[in-house]
């Protein structure tokens, strides 16, 4: 690995490390919200296969939307 690559990797790690606590909090909030959607869907008798498919579709649509710009 070149000196430049080593420097770049260390810079990335420093950036990641500085933001990791916030990323973890965001993921925990997202996980909670997805669990709420799942529980409410089950309360209203939405079949698991429908919940899985719709959640996957909507999640990846949102990810694509947010990563395009």
């Amino acid at each position: 690995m070149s000196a430049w690559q080593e420097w770049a990797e260390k810079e990335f790690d420093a950036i990641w490390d500085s933001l990791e606590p916030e990323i973890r909090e965001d993921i925990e909030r997202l996980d909670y919200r997805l669990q709420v959607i799942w529980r409410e869907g089950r309360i209203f008798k939405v079949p698991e296969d429908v919940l899985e498919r719709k959640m996957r579709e909507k999640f990846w649509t949102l990810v694509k939307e947010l990563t395009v710009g």
Side-chain angles (χ1 to χ4, degrees):
M1 181 181 308
S2 73
W4 185 87
Q5 277 183 307
E6 284 183 36
W7 173 85
E9 291 203 12
K10 286 179 184 176
E11 283 299 308
F12 174 86
D13 289 343
I15 294 165
W16 180 269
D17 292 344
S18 72
L19 292 171
E20 187 173 2
E22 291 176 47
I23 293 168
R24 286 183 178 277
E25 288 175 12
D26 292 343
I27 290 172
E28 288 171 5
R29 283 194 300 272
L30 174 60
D31 180 59
Y32 172 77
R33 287 175 175 86
L34 293 173
Q35 287 179 33
V36 169
I37 292 167
W38 183 270
R39 281 193 303 271
E40 289 187 13
R42 294 304 294 148
I43 287 169
F44 289 101
K45 308 295 187 212
V46 177
E48 286 187 15
D49 62 321
V50 172
L51 280 168
E52 288 175 3
R53 180 176 51 80
K54 296 294 286 182
M55 287 177 70
R56 183 175 50 250
E57 289 171 0
K58 296 208 177 265
F59 178 80
W60 286 113
T61 298
L62 183 60
V63 168
K64 289 175 187 172
E65 262 179 46
L66 294 172
T67 57
V68 166

